[in-house]
């Protein structure tokens, strides 16, 4: 396959949005071996509680075990491959296939087969026909991830430096929870279009969302219509080892874009902040109360401050299912949590007025890449290239200003690495040089032809 990513020049081939071969390779190289979000622990508190989820194009059942651990299994019967569990969530003692009635325990074991004695005459080995188990399931502050590849790094190591930033609102503030069930919608775009947008695109906010910013009147409203840039030092962009990235706009928690609600949230946070500052230091405590956009590679995104958590599930090169939860602090009063969730769904839910703005862009960039000539060209993520650096205090690679494409470059640098590598062991080789690849990118750009 021709190279898709030019790290040195900050370019990506337009083929990444449409090409079927690229999509199939992504299912194997990315979705079959990276950690993927499954659910939040609070959604399945008791033995037998389950949700169904997706890992790439595979469907899985995520189920709480009798010993309280969590396991995940392919939602596929070992007889003729029909779906074993047809519903999104519930509590079960067993999963019974709709086709011929094979029955599985919540531990995945095949427990009963109709007319086993009469029809199989002792020749079916039930012990080798349990549901196929997802190799790894692990939890980060209640957020449950699964991984098909037993050789992958631990979830903790996979999140790596990103945890230093995430821990402020995943741990320091007492933790967060997802309010479900998630809303679901189908977007006619490639799964990377929204994932890259959330990983590091503060550039589009004032322009794409100009009307939404004005109508909402939240703390970011002054950006409407590209009226101005945030001042120097107003934020931060970061990218980390495995492509996870984030952007921070300091002290602009917009409370889901609703000023009265923002004031209430700011008052709530002001009470908690001194303790966070004491425990985690002033530098990190500042992220609590800031607006943070981010993605965990490959397809999980969140906006802290806009209170959304989304997963972009690939169904095909130009079909992506969006799962959306509201994300709230655990110890908030129930009534405040609900108002935050309502506000999030007004803005970023299925019919949210910010969501519609974004989907328009996601769909056009993905679908235009069907054009034969269009996909011979390249996509540009050069903003801030040459200014990415290591920082003595901040983990990862840091960009030079609040608005730039540092996190895009880090996301696609790892995308290229994982698409090219045969195994996780091969990717070990990248540990030493990945930062240098990014911080040394961009030299000699001016005058070079812009082509993939
Ligand atoms: S396909 Fe499931 S019982 Fe036959
Ligand atoms: Fe947006």
């Amino acid at each position: 396959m021709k190279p898709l990513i030019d790290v040195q020049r900050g370019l990506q081939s337009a083929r990444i949005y449409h090409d079927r071969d690229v999509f199939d390779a992504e299912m194997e190289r990315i979705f079959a071996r990276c950690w993927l979000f499954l659910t939040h622990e609070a959604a399945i508190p008791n033995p037998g509680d389950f949700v169904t989820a997706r890992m790439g194009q595979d469907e899985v059942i995520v189920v709480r075990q009798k010993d309280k651990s969590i396991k995940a299994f392919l939602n596929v019967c070992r007889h003729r491959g029909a779906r074993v569990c047809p519903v999104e969530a519930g509590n079960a003692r067993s999963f019974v296939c709709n086709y011929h009635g094979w029955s599985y325990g919540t531990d995945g074991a095949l427990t009963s087969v109709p007319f086993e004695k009469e029809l199989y005459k002792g020749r079916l080995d039930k012990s080798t026909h349990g549901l196929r188990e997802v190799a790894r399931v692990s939890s980060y502050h209640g957020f449950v991830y699964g991984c098909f590849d037993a050789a992958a790094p631990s979830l903790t190591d996979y999140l790596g430096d990103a945890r230093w930033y995430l821990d402020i609102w995943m741990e320091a503030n007492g933790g967060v929870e997802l309010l479900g069930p998630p809303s679901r919608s189908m977007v006619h775009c490639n799964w990377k279009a929204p994932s890259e947008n959330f990983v590091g695109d503060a550039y589009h906010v004032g322009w794409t969302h100009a009307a939404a910013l004005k109508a909402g009147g939240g703390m970011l409203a002054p950006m409407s219509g590209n009226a101005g840039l945030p001042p120097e030092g107003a934020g931060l962009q970061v990218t980390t080892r495995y492509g996870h990235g984030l952007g921070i706009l300091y002290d602009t928690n917009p409370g889901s874009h609703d000023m009265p609600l923002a004031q209430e949230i700011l008052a709530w946070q002001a009470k908690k902040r001194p303790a966070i500052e004491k425990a985690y230091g002033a530098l990190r405590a500042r992220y609590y109360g800031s607006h943070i956009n981010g993605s965990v590679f490959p397809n999980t995104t969140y906006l802290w401050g806009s209170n959304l958590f989304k997963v972009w599930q690939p169904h095909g090169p130009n079909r992506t299912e969006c799962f959306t939860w509201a994300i709230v602090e655990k110890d908030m009063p129930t009534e405040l949590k609900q108002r935050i969730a309502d506000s999030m769904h007004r803005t970023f839910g299925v019919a949210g007025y910010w969501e519609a703005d974004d989907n328009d862009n996601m769909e056009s960039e993905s679908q235009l890449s069907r054009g034969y000539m269009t996909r011979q060209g390249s996509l540009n993520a050069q903003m801030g290239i040459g200014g990415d650096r290591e920082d003595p205090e901040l983990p990862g690679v840091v960009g030079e200003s609040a608005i730039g494409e540092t996190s895009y470059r880090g996301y696609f640098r790892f995308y290229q690495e994982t698409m090219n590598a045969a195994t996780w062991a091969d990717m070990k080789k990248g540990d030493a040089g990945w930062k240098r690849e990014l911080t040394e990118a961009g030299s000699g750009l001016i005058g070079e032809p812009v082509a993939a």
Side-chain angles (χ1 to χ4, degrees):
M1 190 180 288
K2 279 199 292 187
L4 296 168
I5 310 298
D6 182 337
V7 177
Q8 211 285 323
R9 293 194 293 169
L11 303 176
Q12 299 83 41
S13 163
R15 289 169 55 227
I16 62 169
Y17 286 150
H18 176 71
D19 195 299
R20 183 80 221 186
D21 293 342
V22 172
F23 181 84
D24 289 342
E26 288 170 349
M27 294 306 107
E28 177 198 336
R29 296 276 162 121
I30 296 175
F31 285 86
R33 66 183 182 194
C34 288
W35 284 95
L36 305 171
F37 177 77
L38 297 177
T39 188
H40 192 274
E41 279 187 17
I44 47 171
N46 303 309
D49 286 350
F50 70 87
V51 294
T52 47
R54 291 177 71 89
M55 297 177 71
Q57 291 185 295
D58 289 299
E59 294 187 21
V60 295
I61 309 170
V62 188
V63 57
R64 181 76 73 171
Q65 302 295 297
K66 288 196 183 100
D67 66 2
K68 288 288 202 170
S69 66
I70 295 171
K71 289 187 174 185
F73 305 96
L74 287 188
N75 188 7
V76 177
C77 181
R78 292 298 303 280
H79 179 215
R80 299 304 304 160
R83 187 180 278 117
V84 166
C85 177
V87 297
E88 289 177 25
N91 181 279
R93 269 180 299 190
S94 60
F95 299 105
V96 184
C97 179
N98 191 54
Y99 197 170
H100 312 92
W102 284 24
S103 175
Y104 302 87
T106 54
D107 61 354
L110 177 60
T111 49
S112 89
V113 169
F115 305 113
E116 184 188 353
K117 217 162 71 202
E118 297 86 336
L119 299 177
Y120 285 93
K121 306 184 192 307
R123 294 180 200 127
L124 176 69
D125 181 3
K126 290 217 297 298
S127 72
T128 57
H129 284 76
L131 296 175
R132 286 178 63 196
E133 188 169 347
V134 177
R136 318 265 295 276
V137 173
S138 190
S139 205
Y140 168 66
H141 300 310
F143 288 68
V144 182
Y145 285 75
C147 180
F148 285 124
D149 192 338
S154 69
L155 177 61
T156 305
D157 289 344
Y158 181 73
L159 293 172
D161 285 339
R163 287 183 291 120
W164 194 83
Y165 302 92
L166 296 179
D167 278 350
I168 292 304
W169 54 272
M170 302 285 277
E171 178 183 72
N173 63 355
V176 286
E177 64 187 14
L178 297 180
L179 298 186
S183 64
R184 297 168 65 158
S185 56
M186 201 59 88
V187 190
H188 296 281
C189 72
N190 186 273
W191 64 272
K192 295 184 296 304
S195 303
E196 66 169 36
N197 170 274
F198 281 90
V199 86
D201 197 327
Y203 187 34
H204 79 293
V205 175
W207 190 248
T208 286
H209 301 297
L213 282 162
K214 222 183 220 166
M219 291 183 78
L220 298 177
M223 290 171 77
S224 175
N226 277 354
L229 278 174
E232 191 71 23
L236 185 66
Q237 283 179 67
V238 184
T239 186
T240 63
R241 172 69 184 94
Y242 297 121
H244 323 309
L246 56 117
I248 302 173
L249 280 176
Y250 295 132
D251 309 317
T252 52
N253 188 320
S256 299
H257 315 277
D258 164 339
M259 211 46 157
L261 184 55
Q263 299 299 357
E264 207 173 318
I265 294 170
L266 287 170
W268 167 268
Q269 292 179 337
K271 278 190 274 171
K272 274 186 169 180
R273 191 147 157 184
I276 296 174
E277 205 164 310
K278 206 163 159 212
Y280 290 78
L283 182 70
R284 295 173 76 191
R286 198 175 180 194
Y287 307 148
Y288 179 64
S290 294
H291 192 272
I292 303 182
N293 61 272
S295 289
V296 171
F297 190 93
N299 65 332
T300 301
T301 63
Y302 55 88
L303 290 184
W304 184 237
S306 296
N307 300 93
L308 68 85
F309 187 89
K310 285 177 182 279
V311 186
W312 306 99
Q313 298 289 13
H315 283 247
N318 275 182
R319 274 184 87 220
T320 297
E321 189 174 9
C322 171
F323 288 66
T324 305
W325 293 258
I327 185 166
V328 294
E329 293 177 48
K330 267 186 203 161
D331 54 359
M332 281 177 159
T334 309
E335 186 269 343
L336 179 58
K337 286 181 188 172
Q338 195 51 52
R339 281 173 49 218
I340 290 173
D342 291 347
S343 178
M344 189 286 294
H345 284 293
R346 269 199 304 278
T347 46
F348 286 100
V350 174
Y353 62 94
W354 281 64
E355 188 78 355
D357 290 343
D358 283 326
N359 286 352
D360 218 26
N361 294 328
M362 306 304 134
E363 294 191 345
S364 77
E365 63 187 315
S366 302
Q367 291 178 29
L368 287 168
S369 297
R370 287 180 184 159
Y372 175 77
M373 291 308 291
T374 299
R375 64 177 186 269
Q376 311 308 313
S378 64
L379 308 160
N380 182 306
Q382 293 180 330
M383 195 193 302
I385 198 167
D388 296 337
R389 62 188 165 81
E390 289 188 62
D391 186 279
E393 289 184 293
L394 307 170
V397 167
V398 177
E400 63 186 353
S401 61
I403 295 186
E405 287 164 344
T406 300
S407 314
Y408 271 64
R409 289 188 288 278
Y411 182 92
F412 283 111
R413 192 213 62 77
F414 180 65
Y415 173 88
Q416 161 119 314
E417 187 181 348
T418 187
M419 289 287 274
N420 289 342
T423 64
W424 272 103
D426 283 350
M427 284 188 263
K428 261 329 258 171
K429 294 173 209 143
D431 287 354
W434 74 274
K435 286 185 179 172
R436 210 173 44 246
E437 267 188 81
L438 292 171
T439 56
E440 291 180 359
S443 56
L445 271 181
I446 304 297
E448 286 204 22
V450 177

Short mmCIF file of all heavy atoms in Angstrom, two decimals, residues 199-231:
data_model
loop_
_atom_site.label_atom_id
_atom_site.label_comp_id
_atom_site.label_asym_id
_atom_site.label_seq_id
_atom_site.Cartn_x
_atom_site.Cartn_y
_atom_site.Cartn_z
N VAL A 199 -9.61 15.50 18.38
CA VAL A 199 -8.29 15.38 18.97
C VAL A 199 -7.59 16.74 19.04
O VAL A 199 -6.77 16.97 19.92
CB VAL A 199 -7.40 14.36 18.21
CG1 VAL A 199 -6.67 14.96 17.04
CG2 VAL A 199 -6.39 13.70 19.15
N GLY A 200 -7.95 17.65 18.14
CA GLY A 200 -7.17 18.89 18.22
C GLY A 200 -7.62 20.02 17.34
O GLY A 200 -6.81 20.81 16.88
N ASP A 201 -8.92 20.16 17.08
CA ASP A 201 -9.33 21.24 16.19
C ASP A 201 -10.10 22.33 16.92
O ASP A 201 -11.32 22.30 17.00
CB ASP A 201 -10.18 20.68 15.03
CG ASP A 201 -10.28 21.66 13.89
OD1 ASP A 201 -10.30 22.88 14.15
OD2 ASP A 201 -10.33 21.21 12.73
N ALA A 202 -9.35 23.29 17.45
CA ALA A 202 -10.00 24.47 18.03
C ALA A 202 -10.17 25.54 16.94
O ALA A 202 -10.87 26.53 17.14
CB ALA A 202 -9.18 25.03 19.19
N TYR A 203 -9.54 25.30 15.80
CA TYR A 203 -9.52 26.27 14.69
C TYR A 203 -10.91 26.51 14.12
O TYR A 203 -11.26 27.62 13.73
CB TYR A 203 -8.57 25.69 13.63
CG TYR A 203 -8.23 26.53 12.43
CD1 TYR A 203 -8.11 27.92 12.51
CD2 TYR A 203 -7.96 25.90 11.20
CE1 TYR A 203 -7.74 28.66 11.39
CE2 TYR A 203 -7.59 26.63 10.09
CZ TYR A 203 -7.49 28.00 10.18
OH TYR A 203 -7.13 28.72 9.07
N HIS A 204 -11.73 25.42 14.05
CA HIS A 204 -13.01 25.54 13.37
C HIS A 204 -14.10 26.18 14.23
O HIS A 204 -15.14 26.56 13.72
CB HIS A 204 -13.49 24.15 12.91
CG HIS A 204 -14.12 23.34 14.01
ND1 HIS A 204 -13.41 22.86 15.09
CD2 HIS A 204 -15.41 22.93 14.22
CE1 HIS A 204 -14.23 22.19 15.89
NE2 HIS A 204 -15.44 22.21 15.39
N VAL A 205 -13.84 26.27 15.54
CA VAL A 205 -14.94 26.59 16.46
C VAL A 205 -15.60 27.94 16.14
O VAL A 205 -16.82 28.04 16.00
CB VAL A 205 -14.46 26.53 17.93
CG1 VAL A 205 -15.56 26.98 18.89
CG2 VAL A 205 -14.00 25.11 18.27
N GLY A 206 -14.79 28.98 16.00
CA GLY A 206 -15.34 30.32 15.78
C GLY A 206 -16.05 30.45 14.44
O GLY A 206 -16.94 31.29 14.28
N TRP A 207 -15.68 29.62 13.48
CA TRP A 207 -16.22 29.75 12.12
C TRP A 207 -17.37 28.77 11.88
O TRP A 207 -18.50 29.19 11.64
CB TRP A 207 -15.09 29.52 11.10
CG TRP A 207 -15.48 29.85 9.71
CD1 TRP A 207 -15.65 28.99 8.66
CD2 TRP A 207 -15.78 31.16 9.19
NE1 TRP A 207 -16.03 29.66 7.53
CE2 TRP A 207 -16.12 30.99 7.81
CE3 TRP A 207 -15.82 32.44 9.73
CZ2 TRP A 207 -16.47 32.07 7.00
CZ3 TRP A 207 -16.17 33.52 8.93
CH2 TRP A 207 -16.49 33.32 7.58
N THR A 208 -17.10 27.46 11.99
CA THR A 208 -18.17 26.46 11.78
C THR A 208 -19.35 26.72 12.72
O THR A 208 -20.51 26.62 12.34
CB THR A 208 -17.61 25.04 12.04
OG1 THR A 208 -16.78 24.68 10.95
CG2 THR A 208 -18.71 24.02 12.17
N HIS A 209 -19.03 27.03 13.98
CA HIS A 209 -20.08 27.14 15.00
C HIS A 209 -20.45 28.60 15.29
O HIS A 209 -20.94 28.90 16.38
CB HIS A 209 -19.62 26.47 16.30
CG HIS A 209 -19.30 25.01 16.14
ND1 HIS A 209 -20.25 24.07 15.77
CD2 HIS A 209 -18.15 24.31 16.30
CE1 HIS A 209 -19.68 22.87 15.71
NE2 HIS A 209 -18.41 22.99 16.02
N ALA A 210 -20.22 29.49 14.31
CA ALA A 210 -20.44 30.92 14.57
C ALA A 210 -21.87 31.18 15.09
O ALA A 210 -22.06 31.86 16.10
CB ALA A 210 -20.18 31.72 13.30
N ALA A 211 -22.85 30.62 14.37
CA ALA A 211 -24.24 30.89 14.76
C ALA A 211 -24.57 30.22 16.09
O ALA A 211 -25.26 30.80 16.94
CB ALA A 211 -25.19 30.38 13.68
N ALA A 212 -24.04 29.00 16.28
CA ALA A 212 -24.32 28.27 17.52
C ALA A 212 -23.74 29.00 18.72
O ALA A 212 -24.36 29.07 19.78
CB ALA A 212 -23.75 26.86 17.42
N LEU A 213 -22.53 29.55 18.55
CA LEU A 213 -21.90 30.28 19.65
C LEU A 213 -22.75 31.48 20.05
O LEU A 213 -22.96 31.76 21.23
CB LEU A 213 -20.51 30.77 19.22
CG LEU A 213 -19.39 29.71 19.23
CD1 LEU A 213 -18.21 30.18 18.39
CD2 LEU A 213 -18.94 29.42 20.66
N LYS A 214 -23.24 32.18 19.05
CA LYS A 214 -24.04 33.38 19.30
C LYS A 214 -25.35 33.01 19.98
O LYS A 214 -25.76 33.62 20.97
CB LYS A 214 -24.33 34.07 17.98
CG LYS A 214 -24.20 35.58 18.05
CD LYS A 214 -24.57 36.16 16.74
CE LYS A 214 -23.60 37.28 16.42
NZ LYS A 214 -23.67 37.69 15.04
N ALA A 215 -26.00 31.97 19.43
CA ALA A 215 -27.31 31.57 19.96
C ALA A 215 -27.19 31.06 21.40
O ALA A 215 -28.04 31.34 22.24
CB ALA A 215 -27.92 30.49 19.07
N GLY A 216 -26.12 30.32 21.67
CA GLY A 216 -25.96 29.73 23.00
C GLY A 216 -25.56 30.75 24.06
O GLY A 216 -25.99 30.67 25.21
N GLY A 217 -24.73 31.69 23.67
CA GLY A 217 -24.31 32.74 24.61
C GLY A 217 -23.48 32.24 25.78
O GLY A 217 -23.46 32.85 26.84
N GLY A 218 -22.77 31.13 25.60
CA GLY A 218 -21.93 30.62 26.68
C GLY A 218 -20.59 31.35 26.75
O GLY A 218 -20.40 32.42 26.14
N MET A 219 -19.64 30.76 27.48
CA MET A 219 -18.37 31.45 27.72
C MET A 219 -17.49 31.57 26.48
O MET A 219 -16.56 32.36 26.44
CB MET A 219 -17.60 30.71 28.82
CG MET A 219 -18.26 30.87 30.18
SD MET A 219 -17.30 30.09 31.48
CE MET A 219 -16.02 31.31 31.74
N LEU A 220 -17.75 30.74 25.45
CA LEU A 220 -16.94 30.82 24.23
C LEU A 220 -17.58 31.74 23.18
O LEU A 220 -17.03 31.91 22.10
CB LEU A 220 -16.75 29.42 23.64
CG LEU A 220 -16.02 28.39 24.51
CD1 LEU A 220 -15.98 27.03 23.81
CD2 LEU A 220 -14.60 28.84 24.83
N ALA A 221 -18.73 32.35 23.50
CA ALA A 221 -19.47 33.16 22.53
C ALA A 221 -18.60 34.25 21.87
O ALA A 221 -18.78 34.54 20.68
CB ALA A 221 -20.70 33.77 23.18
N PRO A 222 -17.64 34.87 22.58
CA PRO A 222 -16.84 35.90 21.91
C PRO A 222 -16.04 35.40 20.70
O PRO A 222 -15.58 36.20 19.89
CB PRO A 222 -15.89 36.39 23.02
CG PRO A 222 -16.57 36.04 24.30
CD PRO A 222 -17.34 34.79 24.01
N MET A 223 -15.88 34.08 20.54
CA MET A 223 -15.16 33.55 19.37
C MET A 223 -16.02 33.56 18.11
O MET A 223 -15.51 33.32 17.01
CB MET A 223 -14.70 32.11 19.64
CG MET A 223 -13.60 31.97 20.67
SD MET A 223 -13.32 30.23 21.11
CE MET A 223 -12.38 29.67 19.67
N SER A 224 -17.33 33.80 18.24
CA SER A 224 -18.26 33.67 17.11
C SER A 224 -17.82 34.47 15.89
O SER A 224 -17.45 35.64 16.01
CB SER A 224 -19.66 34.12 17.55
OG SER A 224 -20.52 34.11 16.44
N GLY A 225 -17.88 33.81 14.72
CA GLY A 225 -17.56 34.49 13.47
C GLY A 225 -16.09 34.82 13.34
O GLY A 225 -15.70 35.75 12.63
N ASN A 226 -15.22 34.07 14.01
CA ASN A 226 -13.77 34.34 14.01
C ASN A 226 -13.49 35.79 14.43
O ASN A 226 -12.62 36.45 13.87
CB ASN A 226 -13.14 34.05 12.63
CG ASN A 226 -12.82 32.58 12.47
OD1 ASN A 226 -12.95 31.80 13.41
ND2 ASN A 226 -12.39 32.20 11.28
N ALA A 227 -14.25 36.28 15.40
CA ALA A 227 -14.09 37.67 15.83
C ALA A 227 -12.73 37.90 16.47
O ALA A 227 -12.23 39.02 16.51
CB ALA A 227 -15.20 38.02 16.82
N GLY A 228 -12.12 36.87 16.97
CA GLY A 228 -10.79 37.06 17.55
C GLY A 228 -10.18 35.75 17.95
O GLY A 228 -10.88 34.74 18.08
N LEU A 229 -8.85 35.77 18.11
CA LEU A 229 -8.15 34.58 18.57
C LEU A 229 -8.01 34.64 20.07
O LEU A 229 -7.94 35.72 20.66
CB LEU A 229 -6.73 34.56 17.97
CG LEU A 229 -6.57 34.04 16.55
CD1 LEU A 229 -5.13 34.23 16.11
CD2 LEU A 229 -6.95 32.56 16.48
N PRO A 230 -7.95 33.48 20.72
CA PRO A 230 -7.63 33.52 22.15
C PRO A 230 -6.24 34.15 22.33
O PRO A 230 -5.38 33.98 21.46
CB PRO A 230 -7.59 32.04 22.55
CG PRO A 230 -8.12 31.27 21.40
CD PRO A 230 -8.08 32.13 20.20
N PRO A 231 -6.03 34.92 23.39
CA PRO A 231 -4.72 35.57 23.57
C PRO A 231 -3.59 34.57 23.77
O PRO A 231 -3.84 33.39 24.05
CB PRO A 231 -4.93 36.40 24.84
CG PRO A 231 -6.10 35.81 25.52
CD PRO A 231 -6.95 35.16 24.47
#
